[in-house]
Amino acid sequence: MKRILLLTVVAVLLVSLFYGCTPKASQPVTLVFAKAGDAVELDPADVTDGESVTVMNNIFEGLVRYKPGTTEIEPWLATSWDVSSDGLSWTFHLRQGVKFHDGTPFNADAVVFSYERQRDPEHPFHKYGKWEYWGYCFSEIAKTEKVDDYTVKITLSRPFAPFISTMAMFTVNVVSPTNCEKWGDQWFAHPVGTGPFKFVEWVKGDHITLEKNQDYWGEKAKIDKLIFKVVPDASQRYLALQKGEVQGIEFPNPDDLSKIEQDPNLAILSQPGVNVGYLAMNVGEDTPGFQKPFGDVRVRQAINYAINKKAIVDQLYKGTAVVAKNPIPPTLWGYNDAIQDYEYNPTKAKELLKEAGYPDGFKTQLWAMPVSRPYMFDPQKIATAIQADLKAVGIDAEIVSYDWGTYLQKTENGEHPMALLGWTADYADPDNFLYVLLDSDSATVGSAGNIAFYRNPEVHKLNMESQKETDQAKRIELYKQVQQIVHDDAPWVTLAHAKQILVFSKKVQGFVLYPTGDYHFESVTISQ
Amino acid sequence: MKNYILKRVLNLILMLFAVSIIIFLLVRLIPGDPARTLAGEHASLEILETMRKKWGLDKPILEQYLIWLKYAFRGDFGQSILTHESVLKEILQRFPNTFELSVFAMIFASLIGISAGVISAIKRYTIFDYTTMFIALFGVSMPIFWLAIMLVLLFSIKLNLLPTGGRISVYYSIKHITGFYLIDSLITLNFGSFFNVLKHLILPSIALGTIPMAFIARITRSSMLNVINQDYIRTARAKGLPEKTVILKHALKNALIPIITSAGTEFAMLMGGAVLTETIFSWPGLGTYIVQAVNARDYPVIQGAVIFVALIVAIVNLIVDLVYAYIDPRIKY
Amino acid sequence: MEEETLENEELVISESFFGESFRALRKNKSALIGLAIIIILIFVAIFAHLISPYSPIKQDLYNNLKPGFWAGNFKNFLGTDEFGRDLLSRIIYGARVSLSVGVIAVIIGIFLGSLIGIFSGFYGGTLDNILMRITDIMFALPSILLAIVIVSVLGRGLSKAMIAIGITYSPQIARVVRSETIMVKNTEFIEAAKAIGAPKLRILRVHVLPNVLSVIIVYTTLSIGSAILDAAALGFLGLGAQPPTAEWGAMLANSNHYITGGYWWVATFPGIAILISVLGFNLFGDGLRDAIDPRLRKKM
């Protein structure tokens, strides 16, 4: 009797080894995509992180969008728009016959609701969100009004050259007002938009399931089901892809790329991203993390000389990035290629430190994010490499890390002396880098985008001029000057511009990479 | 017997109170505003205010504890800072995963540990005995996270037989009824999922079961040696009973008592101590939950999950003691 | 149940006690192997700076993830890690870290545990009750979990990890020490000392402490092994040693990535180092226990 039981157990175990290696074919066409992290929220206006955005790209749409694979603007939920001659008043003509997933018609009311809830503190739905991006990128919007059911007028408080580019951002995607009313403060977990995919379920920390929107107004999606599976470990993601458990992954380990290239079943999609990974040195004397040495430009330059960026890019990024010499990437217009980067020169670094009065270096902290980011796949590793480079010139840096949310908060407060961070463009304009990350306007303690707290009045003047300027050629000149000043002042060590890399099973066709790092799955097909 | 049980249950309750006090105090020892600690760095002023009101954070510490206790009795351990979900709900979602893994690990540990221990005892001072005992010593000296890595290296990567981690492959879906994947897949007659879940259980169970296996093997051996030299075994042998009957029916049965006790304690510890194994195999259990919470400073979760683990450990220990009392007539209450 | 009666001769520590133990130990081969491992470990830890071929934190990015002697690389005998640091040197320096963490954590544990145990056993009554309930609570949680929670309150880092591990070890030691104390306390020579009016603390120091010492010695040896394991576990979880410290557990922290990439050596050798060291302490501890006090067998 017992022996039979034992045999059964063994048999079951053995069968389980070989059973069910392939999924059944009769299932709906499903694509499982492994992500590095879970979404934080699914309200397009209330998120700041890429993991949430890449999911929402498929659920929500805005008035305009980027042409697939480019940074060119094209009409989308708005079919056309007019601008007043002073550049202050924008009238959008909306597409008719579009419905939200819950059946609510898309019209001017929905657009006004989506925007005004973010802008107007008196709006009944304002209290349900933090609306951080509205503050960063849309503070120039004075008002959004309904003209008629399918016409909306947006009034700006000042001319803002990148305005139409910003309108392609997720923050101004349009949400269903009836759905927001239904869920109140829990709406962020029950998204309803107009996009090609509908939200089905969200098991936090595990997966988000979307399904094809059968009533989509445009060309319908070609797959039935889209699952975003959370697999934080890069190696696990790669193994899941190898075994066919998922059909696509993001952020592969650079070390695995050579093996992936040799795999006949896998295809690597890659293109230069519009991003930058950097080391910010806190120069803000009013911040709690400020250390005296960083107030001296010679120290900051010394650190620039001390770090072997090329080795980091070659050996740790493994060619998945290019060395950065400017805050903006070479793929973006306005890039100043005339700038001579600080070369790797520890001797010079030591000399500069000596001149600045720190011949024996000093003790400090090096903050590093806890999570993989598109612009920096493994910040802890990069931090360890930088730590060793700094040690070689006498600077003792202790690596400090917090969970991602706390990290952002604390760096915005300026509690760090040195911190790694990066940026992926929301809209393709140098303004999105040089104003958001390096202008004195963005260096407010507590909500800083400029976490070096670098406040150069000259940079601010040039940024402001460029925001008002409509002539592209003039704007390029202004931004080139900004880059030169930033290079000389060295508030950052610009580390790398990472390539955007996704790996798909060869069965998956038609995925288009966006320079902004968005994921759109409506064009994707799977061959069996 | 009744009195004994009552006494033990009372003891258990007292101990849980004590654990709750200590954990409660620990979380409040963390420098900074407790409302901020409990609500997270990103919380708005309004949330902080409701937090202060709900948990009485402006009141004296004793009162705070009583308020906390009141909610805890209703199953309200607060909300996770990270996910905004009820802590108890998340714990109950994850507990079946840890439980299933622990049970499998224990089955593995007991099967191998007891057999090896028995054979070692019979063949005392042979090569088999020395080898087994040396392997057992290896088992307790090995970092289990390293063993897990080596298992993955061999079985998942080199031989490509078993999955590297996770609970179930993503393309299988399971209807959640009990939360126990094996049971759920069986009662819905979803055999594909059932075998898939089973496959995911093998490597983590081996990794997690190795230390208990080593302990059980050592205890079985010494317990068997103790018993084998007793008079009644000699009598049984003298009566001419076959050796197999003597060993299995007479000796092992009596040697089992200490084995059960130590296996029970080990099992209790596995439930909360599967932190490392769960981390390596990305197992969505209580262990990974607590590690994530520690990394994210998600204090409501740490507080709730630790008390839950203490409760489980205490209950399992209680059951073990009761079983022990039941099978060993020598115990007086 | 701890108050079992014992023959008196077992309690008196005679001059020959250690001598006898030592003779018994010498016959125990596995204990000698254990001792040899420990001595080598201590040697390596002390002279790490002399025997290690390179600095454990010297980075050489263009020489990273190189295989070692099996691929004919005798410059880096065990290969290099992803920062191009020499793995052998890191393992050698790791011995220093692991050994000191193990020893210091156990000393903290012994100090706390003995303090609790001796006071609890000697004074008895309410104090005993309270102290024993506290140890009960600590027993209710798996030690690694308890250590994680303590680190989450103290903050991460090597020294915090030592304290956390020390605290988790104290209740076991407290219990053993307490039962020994009670046993010793009830014996005649203490009664005699009490009778002639010796102050309590003096009795504690002169008579009780030496008697529990043998227990503590055995316990220390066995605990150092598990303390090394626990410290490695905390390092592995990123809660213990911080970069660039060469600590065996932390060296394994990215292992998933190494094994999929084919750099198995980075994930293998630190583990073997942990295994051998812990094995050494366990072998020696087992032998020591058998030699010093066969009666302890049942208790541990």
Side-chain angles (χ1 to χ4, degrees), chain A residues 31 58 68-69 219 222-223 267 269 502 504-514 518-527:
Chain A
L31 186 137
N58 298 285
E219 199 175 328
K222 297 175 181 66
I223 51 176
L269 297 186
L502 299 181
F504 280 98
S505 150
K506 282 242 169 87
K507 287 180 188 155
V508 176
Q509 297 289 329
F511 187 90
V512 181
L513 289 171
Y514 282 64
D518 291 347
Y519 298 163
H520 291 268
F521 283 93
E522 62 267 24
S523 58
V524 167
T525 57
I526 304 178
S527 60

Side-chain angles (χ1 to χ4, degrees), chain A residues 3 6 9 12-13 15-24 27 32 41 127 130 132 186 188 204 227 229 233 236 239-240 243-247 259 401-406 408-410 412-413 415, chain B residues 41-42 44 46 79 82-85 90 93-94 104 111 152 156-157 160-166 168-172 191-196 198-200 202 244 279-282 284 295-297:
Chain A
R3 192 169 297 159
L6 189 69
V9 170
V12 165
L13 286 175
V15 170
S16 74
L17 278 180
F18 303 103
Y19 189 91
C21 291
T22 45
K24 306 248 163 53
Q27 286 167 349
V32 186
E41 289 187 10
K127 61 175 181 282
K130 300 183 287 291
E132 285 168 61
Q186 286 299 308
F188 71 85
K204 285 209 173 133
I227 300 174
K229 171 86 183 161
D233 185 276
Q236 296 274 6
L239 286 166
K243 287 177 187 291
E245 293 181 6
V246 305
Q247 286 77 45
K259 278 172 81 185
S401 200
Y402 295 94
D403 72 279
W404 185 218
T406 312
L408 289 175
Q409 183 74 42
K410 283 186 181 288
E412 283 169 19
N413 289 344
E415 296 177 36
Chain B
E41 303 259 352
H42 271 302
S44 67
E46 284 158 61
Q79 257 191 6
L82 215 56
T83 62
H84 306 293
E85 289 275 1
E90 289 196 328
Q93 256 170 20
R94 283 162 171 270
F104 262 72
L111 276 181
V152 172
S156 306
I157 295 181
N160 202 10
L161 279 178
L162 294 165
T164 52
I168 182 169
S169 296
V170 272
Y171 45 79
Y172 286 104
F191 295 110
S193 301
F194 178 78
F195 287 119
N196 190 272
L198 216 53
K199 254 162 88 170
H200 281 83
I202 296 175
K244 220 175 96 187
T279 305
I280 292 204
F281 291 100
S282 350
N295 280 326
R297 283 148 219 262

Side-chain angles (χ1 to χ4, degrees), chain A residues 99-118:
Chain A
K99 275 192 162 60
F100 288 100
H101 303 147
D102 62 353
T104 312
F106 164 77
N107 54 27
D109 291 324
V111 177
V112 172
F113 175 88
S114 298
Y115 298 178
E116 285 295 288
R117 67 179 181 144
Q118 302 183 55

